[in-house]
Amino acid sequence: MKLSANEEYGLRCLVRLGYEGEGGSLTIPEISHAEGVSPALAAKILRVLRKAGFVKAARGKEGGYALARPPEAIVIGEVMEVLGGRLFESSFCDTHSGQAAICTRSVDCSVRSLWRAVQVAVDQVLSKATLRDLLQNEEEMNSWVRAISDRSGLRLLQ
Amino acid sequence: MKLSANEEYGLRCLVRLGYEGEGGSLTIPEISHAEGVSPALAAKILRVLRKAGFVKAARGKEGGYALARPPEAIVIGEVMEVLGGRLFESSFCDTHSGQAAICTRSVDCSVRSLWRAVQVAVDQVLSKATLRDLLQNEEEMNSWVRAISDRSGLRLLQ
DNA sequence: GCTAATCTGTACTTCTTAGTCAAGATTACC
DNA sequence: GGTAATCTTGACTAAGAAGTACAGATTAGC
């Protein structure tokens, strides 16, 4: 259970674009330099974000990338899913075709229940966060984490 | 953010051994058949679990694998860490050396805060679960999920 | 129209993870 | 001691993810 490079870099590119504010845009070389990723890789990941509708691209001179929606309309959970897929894709137990609520083998079921619980816990955090939240400065970021912490009962701050 | 094959298969092998109860043991062919994994792969993963102290092996005729501790002493979070590492290993931002609480680039910091929040949410689930929990039958499994749900405020049941 | 800056797409290489194989070491049982 | 069942180890292959390269298409500005 690791973050993929796609997720790490992709989210950073989005945040970087977000910093440019309303209508601001950046070129691939600018983004790649700011985030310390190679231009080729940044281009590859930005293409994924474009196809998913999070950013838009302008070609030609004076072109570049910009957010396709306001930051508060970009839910991090959706971004993460596009960049890295779902945690639990039911790959193992699909002899039982994923539809059945109850597996015949209880081993499968208890393990799947666990994965589901983890998936839900992750979603609770990621579906509450928007790009807007990530654009706030340090203090505001902390207060956001604290808010989720309070709402959910999780102790997210150490 | 995906489950690795190691995590999926490794946990299943553990659960399978747990079903054998106190002192019960299974051979690699038995485990591999029960879980639908190739013997060679099961052997590879069981080796990891043995080195980490979760299971013990007996060689020779009548040999096999057994749990090295009682199921309630096997915390799933620890198992998962051995099998798949941590979610967030600070790979990107280690120019800032991981020690500093505050990155100089706020992009780094907001993204890292998010990863930390996700990591903590996952840990809240996995560090509460032991192998004993996974060995219960369907109803008990559900009540365990419900208990965590209540305690943590997460809605883990849909 | 020409040029330079920019994204687009595909193909390629490299690295890590997943999965296989075979020879060796150990043990219970006769 | 011999034999068969079992784990152990390391090397090997296959598949997927990460990262690179380059030729092509598009556009602003002159």
Side-chain angles (χ1 to χ4, degrees):
Chain A
M1 212 162 63
K2 293 230 181 76
L3 287 170
S4 69
N6 252 3
E7 292 166 320
E8 175 82 46
Y9 298 149
L11 191 51
R12 282 173 195 281
C13 290
L14 260 191
V15 171
R16 183 59 63 179
L17 286 175
Y19 274 120
E20 294 305 305
E22 180 81 22
S25 80
L26 291 172
T27 67
I28 287 176
E30 285 168 338
I31 297 172
S32 102
H33 178 261
E35 293 302 326
V37 189
S38 79
L41 186 52
K44 191 181 196 175
I45 295 173
L46 283 163
R47 200 172 353 160
V48 174
L49 291 174
R50 174 177 57 80
K51 287 184 177 163
F54 295 116
V55 304
K56 58 189 175 190
R59 304 219 281 190
K61 202 169 182 182
E62 308 291 298
Y65 277 95
L67 294 183
R69 326 174 190 168
E72 57 272 20
I74 296 181
V75 177
I76 304 302
E78 294 171 10
V79 175
M80 293 289 284
E81 184 162 347
V82 165
L83 293 170
R86 300 283 287 174
L87 176 69
F88 169 41
E89 286 171 343
S90 185
S91 54
F92 190 100
C93 196
D94 52 9
T95 46
H96 307 150
S97 81
Q99 307 303 354
I102 311 276
C103 300
T104 53
R105 299 192 291 178
S106 54
V107 170
D108 279 337
C109 286
S110 58
V111 172
R112 293 183 68 174
S113 298
L114 180 70
W115 295 160
R116 254 192 300 274
V118 173
Q119 175 81 72
V120 171
V122 170
D123 287 346
Q124 294 268 329
V125 174
L126 293 183
S127 69
K128 283 196 177 74
T130 69
L131 183 56
R132 172 72 71 202
D133 296 313
L134 295 186
L135 295 177
Q136 315 301 322
N137 65 19
E138 225 50 36
E139 292 83 346
E140 292 174 347
M141 183 67 198
N142 283 339
S143 78
W144 164 75
V145 173
R146 204 171 297 116
I148 290 197
S149 192
D150 291 344
R151 257 182 280 156
S152 69
L154 292 175
R155 293 186 313 277
L156 298 178
L157 300 169
Q158 323 196 342
Chain B
M1 214 164 59
K2 292 229 181 77
L3 287 170
S4 70
N6 253 3
E7 292 167 319
E8 175 82 46
Y9 298 149
L11 191 52
R12 283 174 194 282
C13 290
L14 261 191
V15 171
R16 184 59 63 179
L17 286 175
Y19 273 120
E20 293 306 304
E22 182 81 23
S25 80
L26 290 172
T27 67
I28 287 176
E30 286 169 337
I31 297 172
S32 101
H33 178 261
E35 293 303 328
V37 189
S38 80
L41 186 51
K44 192 180 198 176
I45 294 174
L46 282 163
R47 197 174 350 157
V48 175
L49 291 174
R50 175 176 59 77
K51 286 184 177 164
F54 296 116
V55 304
K56 57 189 174 189
R59 304 219 280 190
K61 203 169 180 181
E62 308 291 298
Y65 277 95
L67 294 184
R69 325 174 190 167
E72 57 272 21
I74 297 181
V75 177
I76 304 303
E78 295 172 10
V79 175
M80 293 288 284
E81 184 162 347
V82 165
L83 292 170
R86 301 282 288 173
L87 176 71
F88 169 41
E89 287 171 344
S90 185
S91 54
F92 190 99
C93 196
D94 52 10
T95 45
H96 307 150
S97 82
Q99 306 303 353
I102 310 276
C103 299
T104 53
R105 298 192 292 177
S106 55
V107 169
D108 279 338
C109 286
S110 58
V111 172
R112 292 183 69 176
S113 298
L114 180 70
W115 295 161
R116 254 192 300 274
V118 174
Q119 175 82 71
V120 170
V122 170
D123 286 347
Q124 295 267 332
V125 173
L126 293 183
S127 68
K128 283 197 178 74
T130 70
L131 183 56
R132 171 73 70 201
D133 297 313
L134 295 187
L135 296 176
Q136 314 302 323
N137 66 17
E138 224 51 35
E139 293 82 348
E140 292 173 349
M141 183 68 197
N142 283 338
S143 78
W144 164 77
V145 173
R146 204 171 297 117
I148 290 196
S149 192
D150 291 345
R151 256 182 280 156
S152 69
L154 293 175
R155 292 187 313 277
L156 299 178
L157 299 168
Q158 323 196 345

